Amino acid sequence: MDPTRAFFRDVKRLIVKVGTAVVTRSDGRLAVGRLGSLVEQLQELNVQGYEVILVTSGAVGVGRQRLRYRKLLNSSFADLQKPQVELDGKACAAVGQSGLMALYDALFTQLDVASSQLLVTDNDFKDPEFRNQLSHTVNSLLALRVIPVFNENDAVSTRKAPYEDSSGIFWDNDSLAALLALELKADLLVLLSDVEGLYNGPPSDSKSELIDTYIKEKHDEQITFGDKSRVGRGGMQAKVKAAVCAATQIPVVITSGFTRDNILKVLEGKKVGTLFPTKGMLKEIVASTREISPRDMAVSARDCSRRLQSISSEERKKILLDIANALETNEAKIRAENEADVAAAQQAGYEKALVSRLTLKPGKISSLAKSIRVLANMDDPIGQILKRTEVADGLVLEKTSSPLGVLLIVFESRPDALVQIASLAIRSGNGLLLKGGKEAMRSNTILHKVITGAIPASVGEGLIGLVTSRDEIADLLKLDDVIDLVIPRGSNKLVSQIKASTKIPVLGHADGICHVYIDKSADMSMAKKIVLDAKIDYPAACNAMETLLVHRNLLKSAGIQDIIFELETKGVRIFGGSVASEELNLPKAESFHHEYSSMACTIEFVDDVHAAIDHIHCYGSAHTDCIVTSDDEVADIFLKQVDSAAVFHNASTRFSDGARFGLGAEVGISTGRIHARGPVGVEGLLTTRWILKGNGQVVNGDDGVVYTHKNLPL
C-alpha cells in the first residue's frame, strides 16, 4: 500500500460516479464491456462488506441514440432531406433512463446483487424532509446489501438549460456525486473518467505528467482545461470542481473507468489516479512523503553528473577509492542487511536461483572493493581525444569521449550489481538512477547509503538516486527528455516489459542461453573441465552454460559418459534433445530456448560444427557461446560464424564478464548490435562530442575556405 493512500484502509462507505464517456462508446451505444467490468468491481466490494453507492450518467446519451434510431425508422426519404432538428434532451433522458437501469439491473442480477434506482433533481435538496428521508432510505438499502444507483432526473428537471446552467445546488452528475458524498457521509468519492486522472498538460502530450496528489494552492493556477466531455455536460473541469468541493470533508480520487479494476486498486491503496485529500490528510501525506518526484530525481542526477564532469580526474578517482574503503569499513552492516533479505526471501519461498543471486557470499565485499580500485586506477575515460582533424588552415576539429548523461538501471535480486553500476557511472561521469528488486531492498538501501555517503557535497549525493517504489518506474520510463539510457538486468519478462514501455534507448539482454559445443577433435579432459565450470561455477549467472552440444561421433564415447556422470554427481539435472533423450535415456527438454539459471542443462548431439552453429543461431540468445576443439580450422569457422556478443575457443563461458575482461566492472551484458555489445564497461557508457577550435573563421557560403580534412596526431 502506498503511504500516501494508507488511509483508504479505513474506508467503509464509498460513492462511485461513472460518466457518460465511460458508460457509452464513441458511437453513442452503451459500452457493455466497461459496464460489466464496473459492476464486477462493485459486486466484489459489496461482498467484502463495503457500502457502495453508484452515481451514473448516460441516460440522455442512450435515449438520444434510441430516439434517433426510431426517428430514422419512421422517416421518409423526403423527411431525411430536411434539416434535422436536435432531439429534446428531456425526452432523451426519459427514454434512456429505463434502458440504462435495465442494463444495470441485468448485470447486477447476474452477479446475485440487488440494485435500486433513485432519481433526484436539484430542487429536491431544498426540502429538509426530503434530505432526511433520502438518508434514511439509502441507509436502509445499504443495510440490506443493496447498491443504490443515483442519476439526475433530467426528464423533469426545472432547469431550462440542463447542459449549460451551472447554478443551483448541483448542475451535473459530478456535482451530484460530490453533494451525495457529503450528504450521505461517505468515506471516499471515486470519479471515473476517460483518462487516468488530472494531468499538468494535455493527456495526449507524452510530456504531460499525471498529478498523483492535487494541492489547490499549487495546482489551481497551473492547470488549464480543454474541451468538455465529448458526450456529457461535464469534463475534467467539472470533475475537479466537484472534487475540490467534496474534499473539504472527504477524500476524492479521479481515475480512469477504462482501466480494469481501478476502483479495487484505489481501495487497495495503490497509487492510481489523482487524489484530492482533505486538509488533515494532506498534512499526513506531506509528512510521510519527503521523497522527490521521479522527474526531480532524474534532473538532480543530471545536475550532479555535470558537476562530477567539471572536477579533475584525480578528484573523480578519489571518490571511487573512498567508496571502496567505505564498503570495507561497513562490511558488517552490509552483510547483516543482506542476511535479513536472504532470510526473508527463503521464508517467502523464493526459488533457489534467486536466493543465490541475492546472497552476498563471503569475500564478495572485498572483491567489489578491489574491482572499484581497479576501475579508479584506469585511464580517465572522460574527455579523451579520439580523433583530430584539420578542417581548414587554423581550424582544428576534435572528436572527444563524453558521458551519456543519466542512466536508469533496473535490476533484480543482485545487490552486488548496484555497486558495480554505481562505480562505473561515477568513472564515466554519468548520473544514475537505480531500481532494485523488492527482495533486495535492505541490501540496496544500505549499499546506496554507504556509496552516496562517500560522494563529496561539491558533487552531491543526488548523483545516484535509489528508486524505492515500483510505481515510480512507469513515470521514469516516460522521461526521455532527461534520462538517456535504460539498462534492465533481470528476467526475460522484465527486459521485454521495459522495452515495450519506453521511448528511451534500452541496452541489455533478455536471455542468457549460452552453449558449449564439444567438437569431435576436442581434448575430452579439457572439455570436461570447461563444461563443469561453465555450468557449476555460478549456475544462476547469465553466462552459465544452459545447453551442451556434442559432435555425433562422440555419442558412445567414454569421455561424454564421464562428463554426464560428473554433472549428475555434482547435482545437475540433465535433459535431452530429441537425439540425446532417446540415445541416453534422458528426460526430454521442453524447449532448447530455455534459460535454467539453476543446476540443470540440456544436452544434444549435432552432425558437425555447421549444425552446431545453426542450432545456436536458432535457439540461442546471442550472449556467449564456446567451442572446445583441437582443430584450429573448425575453431576458426565457429569463431567467425557464430553471431553472438562473445564467442570463445577452449575457454569457459563464465569468462564473459566485465571484471574478467579487464573493464573494471560491468553494468550488464548487451546482446544488441547498436552502441555496445557484450559486457558493457566504462566505454559502453560514453558517447562522443565534437570540439572545433578556430581563430575567427566563418563559412560565408564557403567563399575562400580551403578544406584540407587532414588527420592530425593525437
Side-chain angles (χ1 to χ4, degrees):
M1 178 171 282
D2 188 274
T4 64
R5 311 289 175 99
F7 43 80
F8 286 170
R9 65 166 63 96
D10 298 323
V11 169
K12 182 181 179 183
R13 178 177 292 186
L14 73 148
I15 291 180
V16 176
K17 187 269 171 178
V18 56
T20 305
V22 178
V23 170
T24 60
R25 305 185 314 189
S26 57
D27 62 2
R29 296 178 182 274
L30 285 169
V32 179
R34 282 199 293 273
L35 285 176
S37 175
L38 168 70
V39 168
E40 285 179 351
Q41 292 180 77
L42 300 185
Q43 181 265 347
E44 186 169 335
L45 295 175
N46 188 268
V47 170
Q48 292 178 17
Y50 287 95
E51 296 179 349
V52 184
I53 300 167
L54 177 63
V55 178
T56 183
S57 299
V60 174
V62 173
R64 182 177 289 112
Q65 182 74 19
R66 287 189 173 187
L67 288 178
R68 281 175 178 168
Y69 179 67
R70 298 309 306 174
K71 186 176 180 181
L72 179 64
L73 290 180
N74 295 318
S75 297
S76 65
F77 181 77
D79 292 334
L80 295 175
Q81 303 308 306
K82 300 174 183 177
Q84 300 298 302
V85 179
E86 180 64 30
L87 294 169
D88 178 55
K90 295 184 181 297
C92 292
V95 171
Q97 186 63 40
S98 60
L100 181 62
M101 280 309 305
L103 179 58
Y104 275 122
D105 186 61
L107 292 171
F108 278 121
T109 300
Q110 287 292 317
L111 298 173
D112 199 26
V113 175
S115 62
S116 62
Q117 175 179 278
L118 293 98
L119 297 175
V120 296
T121 66
D122 60 342
N123 281 330
D124 293 332
F125 285 88
K126 296 176 181 178
D127 184 354
E129 290 188 16
F130 167 82
R131 297 166 77 163
N132 289 333
Q133 184 58 52
L134 177 68
S135 179
H136 177 77
T137 300
V138 170
N139 288 335
S140 298
L141 291 170
L142 294 174
L144 295 169
R145 289 276 174 252
V146 176
I147 295 181
V149 181
F150 278 88
N151 195 354
E152 180 180 5
N153 194 353
D154 287 321
V156 296
S157 172
T158 58
R159 280 189 282 128
K160 294 180 180 179
Y163 310 110
E164 299 173 4
D165 186 12
S166 61
S167 62
I169 296 174
F170 67 86
W171 46 93
D172 57 19
N173 278 322
D174 290 314
S175 55
L176 170 60
L179 174 62
L180 289 171
L182 299 173
E183 193 74 27
L184 301 174
K185 296 180 173 54
D187 302 312
L188 174 67
L189 170 60
V190 179
L191 300 175
L192 297 181
S193 176
D194 55 357
V195 292
E196 290 299 328
L198 181 62
Y199 287 80
N200 61 1
S204 57
D205 187 341
S206 61
K207 293 186 178 180
S208 295
E209 293 184 340
L210 181 68
I211 298 171
D212 54 64
T213 303
Y214 179 88
I215 302 171
K216 191 173 188 298
E217 294 75 14
K218 177 181 178 181
H219 297 115
D220 198 33
E221 299 297 324
Q222 297 179 2
I223 298 171
T224 56
F225 296 96
D227 296 335
K228 73 176 188 68
S229 168
R230 61 176 172 83
V231 281
R233 75 185 77 159
M236 186 54 72
Q237 187 168 12
K239 287 175 176 56
V240 170
K241 188 174 181 181
V244 169
C245 177
T248 57
Q249 296 183 38
I250 64 166
V252 183
V253 173
I254 298 177
T255 189
S256 173
F258 286 60
T259 304
R260 190 171 183 82
D261 294 338
N262 254 6
I263 303 172
L264 299 178
K265 290 174 184 176
V266 167
L267 289 166
E268 288 168 2
K270 294 183 179 177
K271 209 170 191 177
V272 296
T274 301
L275 169 66
F276 291 71
T278 63
K279 282 189 176 180
M281 289 174 180
L282 183 59
K283 290 179 181 178
E284 293 179 23
I285 291 171
V286 172
S288 65
T289 55
R290 299 294 182 186
E291 298 177 4
I292 60 175
S293 72
R295 172 170 285 278
D296 290 341
M297 188 183 293
V299 169
S300 176
R302 184 179 290 284
D303 291 342
C304 291
S305 74
R306 287 170 176 161
R307 291 199 289 270
L308 177 67
Q309 295 163 38
S310 69
I311 64 177
S312 70
S313 175
E314 284 301 312
E315 288 174 300
R316 286 193 293 271
K317 176 179 176 179
K318 184 177 183 302
I319 293 173
L320 286 171
L321 295 175
D322 288 345
I323 289 173
N325 294 336
L327 287 171
E328 291 178 333
T329 301
N330 292 278
E331 181 172 2
K333 292 180 182 177
I334 294 168
R335 287 183 60 81
E337 292 299 299
N338 181 248
E339 287 167 4
D341 278 335
V342 171
Q346 290 172 333
Q347 188 175 1
Y350 283 110
E351 294 179 0
K352 288 183 179 179
L354 185 145
V355 175
S356 176
R357 291 194 296 270
L358 175 61
T359 305
L360 291 173
K361 297 179 175 64
K364 189 63 178 179
I365 298 299
S366 297
S367 174
L368 288 169
K370 182 180 178 180
S371 295
I372 293 173
R373 293 188 179 103
V374 170
L375 196 62
N377 288 308
M378 292 172 63
D379 291 339
D380 191 348
I382 304 173
Q384 293 291 318
I385 299 175
L386 307 175
K387 184 179 181 181
R388 295 183 77 238
T389 304
E390 180 190 79
V391 177
D393 184 38
L395 193 61
V396 176
L397 178 66
E398 296 176 346
K399 183 181 182 181
T400 65
S401 59
S402 172
L404 285 171
V406 177
L407 316 174
L408 169 60
I409 317 293
V410 184
F411 58 100
E412 295 176 338
S413 309
R414 294 180 53 184
D416 59 314
L418 184 150
V419 180
Q420 295 179 32
I421 295 163
S423 58
L424 282 168
I426 292 170
R427 196 68 182 108
S428 58
N430 288 290
L432 180 63
L433 301 176
L434 292 160
K435 174 64 177 79
K438 63 179 180 181
E439 66 281 349
M441 184 173 290
R442 295 182 184 87
S443 305
N444 291 338
T445 300
I446 185 64
L447 287 169
H448 177 259
K449 183 177 180 181
V450 169
I451 291 171
T452 54
I455 298 173
S458 58
V459 172
E461 62 180 26
L463 177 71
I464 301 175
L466 183 64
V467 181
T468 55
S469 169
R470 186 182 184 90
D471 295 336
E472 290 176 314
I473 288 296
D475 294 331
L476 287 166
L477 291 174
K478 297 175 183 176
L479 303 180
D480 55 310
D481 60 324
V482 186
I483 297 173
D484 302 287
L485 183 67
V486 181
I487 304 178
R489 293 184 57 166
S491 66
N492 181 298
K493 181 180 178 182
L494 171 72
V495 177
S496 299
Q497 283 179 341
I498 287 176
K499 284 184 175 180
S501 304
T502 186
K503 296 178 182 177
I504 306 169
V506 178
L507 183 149
H509 69 279
D511 294 299
I513 303 172
C514 302
H515 298 76
V516 173
Y517 166 57
I518 303 176
D519 187 53
K520 64 181 179 180
S521 67
D523 177 329
M524 296 308 291
S525 175
M526 178 194 292
K528 176 181 172 181
K529 188 166 61 172
I530 289 173
V531 168
L532 290 174
D533 181 79
K535 182 68 261 181
I536 296 171
D537 182 62
Y538 190 3
C542 63
N543 58 14
M545 181 193 77
E546 302 295 2
T547 299
L548 174 61
L549 299 176
V550 183
H551 194 289
R552 187 180 290 272
N553 288 6
L554 301 175
L555 177 59
K556 302 295 184 180
S557 69
I560 289 301
Q561 297 297 328
D562 185 37
I563 289 174
I564 292 173
F565 175 77
E566 282 294 326
L567 285 170
E568 290 179 333
T569 301
K570 298 291 186 182
V572 178
R573 292 175 295 122
I574 302 177
F575 299 88
S578 57
V579 177
S581 60
E582 182 177 338
E583 295 289 342
L584 302 178
N585 194 28
L586 295 170
K588 194 168 184 179
E590 292 185 8
S591 170
F592 283 123
H593 189 81
H594 180 68
E595 184 176 10
Y596 292 100
S597 297
S598 64
M599 291 285 278
C601 70
T602 300
I603 184 171
E604 182 59 312
F605 293 91
V606 293
D607 292 337
D608 54 21
V609 66
H610 297 288
I613 292 169
D614 289 342
H615 181 103
I616 290 168
H617 288 166
C618 184
Y619 301 108
S621 60
H623 191 295
T624 302
D625 299 291
C626 157
I627 183 173
V628 184
T629 182
S630 298
D631 188 327
D632 289 341
E633 186 176 334
V634 170
D636 193 52
I637 291 171
F638 189 90
L639 295 174
K640 287 181 177 178
Q641 294 187 19
V642 171
D643 188 16
S644 294
V647 189
F648 298 166
H649 175 206
N650 291 345
S652 170
T653 57
R654 289 281 292 123
F655 280 105
S656 188
D657 175 84
R660 296 187 179 98
F661 277 14
L663 306 180
E666 67 179 36
V667 292
I669 294 180
S670 171
T671 55
R673 288 164 174 77
I674 297 176
H675 180 66
R677 197 175 186 193
V680 180
V682 169
E683 287 185 7
L685 303 181
L686 298 171
T687 185
T688 56
R689 293 196 307 150
W690 296 97
I691 307 296
L692 185 66
K693 298 177 181 178
N695 50 26
Q697 289 88 343
V698 295
V699 173
N700 191 30
D702 289 330
D703 182 30
V705 180
V706 179
Y707 291 99
T708 57
H709 293 146
K710 182 170 65 178
N711 289 331
L712 300 175
L714 299 179

